[in-house]
Structure formats: structure tokens, C-alpha cells
Amino acid sequence: MSFHTSNSRTPLAPPEYTKIPTVSAGYDNEKHNGSRSNNASVNQSKFIRPEMADVPVQQAAGSTLPLVISKKKGGGADDSEDVNYNPFEHRKVEHPTSDMETFVHLLKGSLGSGILAMPMAFLNAGLWFGLVATFLVGTLCTYCVHILVKCAHILCRRRKIPMMGFADVAEQAFLDGPIGLQRWSRFIRFVVNTFLVIDLIGCCCIYLVFVGTNVKQVVDFYMEDGSEIGIRPWIAIITIPLIFMCLVRNLKFLTPFSMVANLLMFVGIIITFTYVFTDMPSTTERVGVADVVQWPLFFGTVIFALEGIGVVMSLENDMKTPTHFIGCPSVLNLGMGVVITLYTMVGFFGYLKYGPDTAGSITLNLPVEDKLAQSVKLMIAIAIFFTFTLQFYVPMSIIWKGIQHKIAPEKQNWSEYALRVCLVILCGAIAVALPNLGPFISLIGAVCLSTLGMIVPSIIELAVYHEDPGYGRCNWRLWKNIFLICFGIVGFVTGTYISILEFHAEFSQ
């Protein structure tokens, strides 16, 4: 899919809404390494929105750049669109990434703890249905990322903005769309950032459950019968040191923990594969197609595992050649092809190995009496523990940017620390209340990622294309996006409903 833009555009704008002049997107160099700036011929302070969520590209999961505000009628002479404007030539990135580096970052951002839950996804789909459905859902997720990035390129050219984050694209698309959508531009920004925060806070809660469950399994093996500690106390115990670790505000000090986490995760997964591929049963011993009632749990888990749409805009923004990110072939297609293949293999062979005994994380199926298996459980638990602090950084940054301006400067320092402590405690409380990995993962995937990964990109494309170049012959773009929106809504509703039923059944026991 190659990017094309029309040579002319004649918008039907309302009287109070006209085009935006060339602006530059700034980046807070005092807080983060690196800088982005661009010479502009207009006064930035007049158009740049100061309360934008400003999080570093390395942790990219939300808006990373300020967004211009629609200019009212009666602006200057620079109010016309420059069709020759190339946003990629105006990007000022201190250390741009090559195609290979972006490919590696995409793999790193997508290959997370979700891969450990893929066998459980196949348990809810069946061996053969899961094989086909994982590729189909992965393809849809990848296509929706294409939609988002392509619309970002179009909007950057129209509005002469060098780069945008996810929430930027959503808001600007609504400002650029039909008159009825323009009034909802701030709301769609709020929706995107809210769902990003909920998704990432939910991931932090899942991390706590994951660490607590694996540690409990190993410790219980050495405890006397009747003296085991429940999963909820373990989650509370693990939350305490995380409170202090999350008080670290500079990502530079967390980098060594990230390196250790990556190494432990890699070694742990490799050893896990040796257990999975040992004494593999026949495929005839497994269910080929599971009951349709279980499919929503499969959908939610796969979306949770595969969906990395929160990071793609920042990866694209940092590229040396952004046009290589989408297209055919492209960094996105190759990266997601590898990710989908790996996730499918883990899910297929993991379920084939453990069948109906498949747990919420494949590490929980490893023999607890085996010393090597115990080391794997602890290695991956430690890796996820360290990853919590990095994952926590993003929602904290988004929330703090949203409320910082409302707090007196002399109170901001201790207020930020208090917010960090409260958020970690909130994650711990949610994890204690919902310590079942399976429905929890499915719930987060269904609620947040079906919205961000399918519904929002489809709405964005409808808004961007409504006028120029239009929806195509027979309105094929309209019908295609309606299908994606309906698919996302069905996944949202059914996944949420089934997950809630699972939780209700658990609490009723």
C-alpha cells in the first residue's frame, strides 16, 4: 500500500473554520533526551496547544507532540494550503532510526507478555480455528495501523505539520472532517488518551497478577502443606517495592532494568519452547474448533497480544525514511508478519502441548518440580516486574500532562509523587480484586484495544477521506470502514460481556 496525495484540494469549510498555517511541533528537551524543532514563519504560541501529553518516543504510547488549533476565519496570508509541502523534510529528529532499527523496535514493542497468553487464546478458539483466526485478526490489526499512519501522512501534508502522535491524528482528523465532527475533536482526543491510559494501567495490573502467580507457584512448592500464601497477598507484597521504584521520574535510571528484563525474557521464552516441543501429542487429541461462546475470549486475548497501535506513530515519527514504514513491502508489514507468525506458533504448539490444562500464561504450565522450569518462572517474573516501571511511565506521563497546569508550581513536585504512589496502589488494588489472568487479559483487549486498534482508525479514515479524495467507487472505503467498526464493536461488546461472566463465575465460587 503506497502513499498518494492529491495535487489539489478544495475543502467545503464552514465560515468559522479555515486551514491552519505552517507550524512546528516542539519537544520538551528539558525533560527528555533529544529535540524536535522546525523553523516556522508564524508565531507558535498562537497555535500550539500547551497541555498536550508529551511522552518520550522510546515509551511511545500516546500523543507525543503538540497539536495546532483550528484557525478562525480572517487569518493571515499564509492561510492557503501548500501542495508542495513535504512533512518528512521538515522533521528535525536528533537521532533518526534506520529501517532495520525501526523493525527491531517494532518487534520489541510487540513481542511482550502477550505472547505467553497465546496458548490460552487457542484454548478458547480450538486448534485449527485459532490458527486461521489469529492470522486474520493479525492482518486486520496491521491494516488498521496502515490506515492510521496513512491518514497521519495526509493530515501532515494538509496542515503543514511535520509529525503527529495518535491523539493528534484523531483530533486533527475530526477538525478536518464533516462539520458535525468538528465539535467532537477535543472529545476524540480525550477518548484516545483515556483508552491508552486504561489499556496501559490494565497491562500494569496484568503484570502484577503475572508476577504474583509465578512467584507463588515456585514458593508454594517449597512450603509445607497448608502454609501456602494466597495469590492476593502475593500481589500486595509485590506492589510495595514497585511503589518506590515508580517514584523514579527519569527514564535514564530505568534503562539498566530494561536491559536485564529483555535478557531474562528472551532466555526464559527460549527455555519454555524446549518444554513445549518435548513429547508433543497428536493434533487429533485437541479440539479443532471450540464452542462459539468462547470465541470472544479468544478475540480479546489475541487483540491484547498483537495490538501495538499505541507505539506505531512514534516509531514512524523517528524514522529516517518515514515513507518506508507503510507500503509493500514495508517495515510495518515485515515486522507484523514476523510477530503474527511467532504468536501463532506459540499459541498453536502451546495449546497442542497442554490442551485443556492450558493456563493463563504458558509458564504456569511448566513442571514446578523441575529446577530449570522454576528458574524460567522466576526469570520471566523478574523481567515483567522490571517492565512494570517502564510501562507505568507512559500513563503517568499522559495523566500528569493533563493535570499539571491545574496545580500551583510550588505544589507540583510532591503532587506528582503522590499521583505516582496512588496509581501504583490503584494497580495493586485492581490486581488483588481480579487475580485471574485469562478474563483480565481478554477484558483489556476487548475494551481498549478493539477501540484503539480498529474502531478509532476506521473513523479517522472516514473523516480524512470524506471530501478529498472521497470514499472511492461505490463508496468502498465507507463500507470497508463500517465493517471494521462493526467488527470492533462486536468484539468490544461480546469480549467485555464474556469476561465479566468469567469474573462473576469466579467470585461466585
Side-chain angles (χ1 to χ4, degrees), residues 229-267:
I229 303 176
I231 181 59
R232 287 182 169 88
W234 270 116
I235 294 174
I237 292 171
I238 292 167
T239 302
I240 295 174
L242 284 174
I243 293 176
F244 297 98
M245 291 186 66
C246 289
L247 293 178
V248 178
R249 295 189 290 186
N250 194 329
L251 277 179
K252 179 175 64 176
F253 299 121
L254 299 176
T255 302
F257 296 105
S258 177
M259 296 174 61
V260 172
N262 291 335
L263 179 62
L264 291 176
M265 179 67 79
F266 177 76
V267 174

Side-chain angles (χ1 to χ4, degrees), residues 183-232:
R183 69 181 66 182
W184 298 98
S185 59
R186 292 301 299 271
F187 176 74
I188 192 64
R189 164 177 291 282
F190 172 79
V191 168
V192 170
N193 277 329
T194 298
F195 275 98
L196 282 171
V197 170
I198 294 174
D199 169 40
L200 295 166
I201 290 293
C203 288
C204 289
C205 299
I206 291 171
Y207 287 176
L208 284 172
V209 175
F210 181 91
V211 175
T213 305
N214 280 270
V215 172
K216 177 185 183 313
Q217 204 178 55
V218 174
V219 174
D220 284 354
F221 179 74
Y222 294 98
M223 300 285 285
E224 296 180 1
D225 291 340
S227 59
E228 295 89 353
I229 303 176
I231 181 59
R232 287 182 169 88

Side-chain angles (χ1 to χ4, degrees), residues 343-477:
Y343 274 58
T344 304
M345 290 178 59
V346 173
F348 183 90
F349 290 109
Y351 173 59
L352 179 60
K353 171 69 175 180
Y354 298 109
D357 297 324
T358 301
S361 169
I362 193 173
T363 57
L364 300 177
N365 285 114
L366 301 183
V368 70
E369 67 279 0
D370 194 321
K371 299 292 184 183
L372 183 60
Q374 292 176 9
S375 68
V376 171
K377 296 173 189 286
L378 293 178
M379 277 192 294
I380 296 184
I382 293 172
I384 297 298
F385 180 87
F386 287 153
T387 305
F388 181 98
T389 56
L390 298 172
Q391 186 85 351
F392 175 83
Y393 190 92
V394 181
M396 175 63 207
S397 298
I398 295 175
I399 295 173
W400 179 244
K401 273 291 181 179
I403 66 173
Q404 184 179 13
H405 65 282
K406 300 178 182 179
I407 302 174
E410 64 273 10
K411 298 180 180 180
Q412 287 188 0
N413 196 42
W414 67 263
S415 296
E416 182 178 356
Y417 283 121
L419 177 61
R420 288 175 175 270
V421 172
C422 290
L423 281 181
V424 177
I425 293 176
L426 174 64
C427 291
I430 295 174
V432 168
L434 306 172
N436 190 336
L437 270 175
F440 204 163
I441 291 175
S442 179
L443 180 65
I444 294 300
V447 171
C448 299
L449 297 176
S450 61
T451 303
L452 295 177
M454 292 187 179
I455 298 174
V456 172
S458 301
I459 295 175
I460 287 175
E461 187 179 45
L462 289 176
V464 171
Y465 279 76
H466 88 284
E467 184 180 290
D468 180 18
Y471 295 147
R473 180 174 297 179
C474 299
N475 287 328
W476 69 269
R477 285 194 182 92

Side-chain angles (χ1 to χ4, degrees), residues 109-325:
S110 300
L111 292 173
S113 59
I115 194 172
L116 303 174
M118 283 305 298
M120 180 192 63
F122 273 67
L123 172 66
N124 291 310
L127 194 65
W128 302 115
F129 178 74
L131 183 67
V132 176
T134 300
F135 273 105
L136 291 178
V137 174
T139 301
L140 283 179
C141 291
T142 305
Y143 178 69
C144 289
V145 174
H146 272 275
I147 291 175
L148 178 67
V149 177
K150 191 170 183 179
C151 288
H153 289 176
I154 293 173
L155 292 171
C156 284
R157 289 179 184 274
R158 287 180 183 174
R159 297 311 185 193
K160 294 185 272 189
I161 304 171
M163 61 182 78
M164 294 184 182
F166 191 176
D168 305 343
V169 177
E171 183 173 10
Q172 189 60 56
F174 272 48
L175 289 173
D176 225 38
I179 298 175
L181 284 182
Q182 292 171 15
R183 69 181 66 182
W184 298 98
S185 59
R186 292 301 299 271
F187 176 74
I188 192 64
R189 164 177 291 282
F190 172 79
V191 168
V192 170
N193 277 329
T194 298
F195 275 98
L196 282 171
V197 170
I198 294 174
D199 169 40
L200 295 166
I201 290 293
C203 288
C204 289
C205 299
I206 291 171
Y207 287 176
L208 284 172
V209 175
F210 181 91
V211 175
T213 305
N214 280 270
V215 172
K216 177 185 183 313
Q217 204 178 55
V218 174
V219 174
D220 284 354
F221 179 74
Y222 294 98
M223 300 285 285
E224 296 180 1
D225 291 340
S227 59
E228 295 89 353
I229 303 176
I231 181 59
R232 287 182 169 88
W234 270 116
I235 294 174
I237 292 171
I238 292 167
T239 302
I240 295 174
L242 284 174
I243 293 176
F244 297 98
M245 291 186 66
C246 289
L247 293 178
V248 178
R249 295 189 290 186
N250 194 329
L251 277 179
K252 179 175 64 176
F253 299 121
L254 299 176
T255 302
F257 296 105
S258 177
M259 296 174 61
V260 172
N262 291 335
L263 179 62
L264 291 176
M265 179 67 79
F266 177 76
V267 174
I269 290 178
I270 294 298
I271 297 175
T272 300
F273 284 164
T274 63
Y275 283 96
V276 170
F277 289 113
T278 302
D279 298 326
M280 190 75 70
S282 171
T283 56
T284 58
E285 300 180 28
R286 300 292 176 248
V287 177
V289 180
D291 193 323
V292 67
V293 177
Q294 297 177 263
W295 290 2
L297 289 174
F298 162 81
F299 173 81
T301 304
V302 172
I303 289 290
F304 172 84
L306 287 175
E307 191 58 78
I309 199 165
V311 306
V312 294
M313 287 311 305
S314 293
L315 291 177
E316 186 271 346
N317 285 339
D318 249 15
M319 286 187 69
K320 185 182 302 182
T321 52
T323 53
H324 292 177
F325 191 75

Side-chain angles (χ1 to χ4, degrees), residues 9 42 63 128 369:
R9 185 170 183 266
V42 296
S63 292
W128 302 115
E369 67 279 0

